[in-house]
C-alpha cells in the first residue's frame, strides 16, 4: 500500500495575472478583450491548438466575475443535459465547442437565443475558427459574430518562465536538468507540461523527495502513477 500525500499542494492558479501572453499580439489582444468584458458584450471566441491557454483564460474570467459578485455558468462537452440558463447568471462560458455533440449544439444555440438582449456576456473556446467548426450553422454564426482571437503557443524561453514560476509558487526547486528534460522529451504544449509538473509534485510528496530527474524517470516508469493528458 502506498502512502498518499496530504492535500497541501497549491491549487491551480487560474487568473489573468498567471496567464503569460508572451510576445504574441493576438494573445495580448485576447487578454485585453476579456479584461474589458461587460454584461451584454458581443460574444467572444478564443481558438487555437490544445495547450495555448483557452481554458485557463475562461477559468480566469469566471474567477474575476465571481469575485465581483457576478453569477457564471459553465458548459463543456461533459456538462450533463439539459442545459438551462440560470437567470441570475450574467456570463456564459462554452469550452471546447468543437467537441459538442448534436444535442449540446442545440442546447448552446438555445442559450444564445434565450439570453439575447438580456445583458449576458458569452465567451467560447474551440480548436479552430468559427467558420471551420463542425457544428450546426446557426450556432457557428453565433460563435463567429463577435470578436475572435487565435491564441498562439509560447516560445521555449516563455514556456520555461511559466514552468519555473509555477514551480516557485508551489515551493519547488526545478533544476535546469529537469527542465531541459521536460522540454526536450515531451510535447511543448503548456497545458500538458503543467499537468506533468503537478503530477511530479504529487509523486515527490508521496515519496518525501525533492524534484530530480531520477525521480521523474521513476515516476514515468511507475505503473501506478496516473498518466498525463497530452492534450490539456
Amino acid at each position: 500500500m502506498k502512502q498518499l500525500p496530504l492535500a497541501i499542494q497549491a491549487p491551480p492558479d487560474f487568473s489573468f495575472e498567471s496567464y503569460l501572453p508572451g510576445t504574441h499580439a493576438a494573445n495580448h489582444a485576447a487578454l485585453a478583450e476579456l479584461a474589458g468584458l461587460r454584461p451584454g458584450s458581443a460574444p467572444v471566441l478564443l481558438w487555437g491548438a490544445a495547450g495555448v491557454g483557452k481554458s485557463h483564460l475562461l477559468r480566469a474570467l469566471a474567477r474575476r466575475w465571481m469575485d465581483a459578485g457576478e453569477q457564471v455558468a459553465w458548459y463543456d462537452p461533459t456538462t450533463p443535459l439539459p442545459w438551462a440558463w440560470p437567470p441570475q447568471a450574467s456570463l456564459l462560458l462554452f469550452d471546447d465547442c468543437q467537441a459538442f455533440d448534436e444535442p449540446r449544439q442545440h442546447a448552446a444555440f438555445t442559450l444564445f437565443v434565450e439570453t439575447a438582449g438580456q445583458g449576458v456576456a458569452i465567451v467560447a473556446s474551440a480548436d479552430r475558427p468559427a467558420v471551420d467548426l463542425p457544428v450546426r450553422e446557426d450556432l457557428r454564426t453565433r460563435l463567429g459574430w463577435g470578436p475572435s482571437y487565435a491564441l498562439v503557443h509560447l516560445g521555449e524561453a516563455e514556456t520555461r518562465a511559466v514552468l519555473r514560476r509555477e514551480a516557485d509558487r508551489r515551493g519547488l526547486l526545478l533544476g535546469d536538468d529537469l527542465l531541459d528534460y521536460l522540454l526536450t522529451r515531451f510535447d511543448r504544449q503548456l497545458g500538458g507540461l503543467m499537468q506533468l509538473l503537478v503530477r511530479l509534485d504529487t509523486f515527490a510528496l508521496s515519496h518525501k523527495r525533492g524534484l530530480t530527474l531520477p525521480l521523474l524517470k521513476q515516476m514515468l516508469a511507475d505503473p501506478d502513477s496516473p498518466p498525463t493528458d497530452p492534450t490539456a
Side-chain angles (χ1 to χ4, degrees), residues 161-216:
V162 173
L163 291 173
R164 283 198 182 280
R165 187 177 68 179
E166 178 62 14
D168 290 344
R169 192 179 70 86
R170 292 175 172 272
L172 306 173
L173 179 60
L174 187 60
D176 288 335
D177 59 340
L178 181 55
L179 190 52
D180 290 342
Y181 191 89
L182 291 174
L183 292 173
T184 56
R185 299 301 182 92
F186 295 91
D187 192 309
R188 289 183 184 174
Q189 292 180 1
L190 185 57
L193 289 172
M194 293 288 274
Q195 280 198 6
L196 188 59
L197 181 61
V198 172
R199 179 181 161 197
L200 183 57
D201 184 12
T202 302
F203 192 79
L205 280 173
S206 67
H207 289 73
K208 299 181 179 179
R209 293 170 56 187
L211 267 60
T212 63
L213 184 53
L215 182 70
L216 172 62

Side-chain angles (χ1 to χ4, degrees), residues 16 34 37 57-65 91 93 123:
F16 288 157
L34 296 184
L37 195 72
L57 284 175
L58 291 188
R59 293 187 177 103
L61 180 63
R63 174 179 170 182
R64 174 168 291 194
W65 279 52
L91 174 64
L93 301 174
V123 181

Side-chain angles (χ1 to χ4, degrees), residues 2 61 100-101 117 140 168 185 219:
K2 288 195 172 183
L61 180 63
F100 285 2
D101 58 18
R140 183 185 300 111
D168 290 344
R185 299 301 182 92
M219 181 192 76

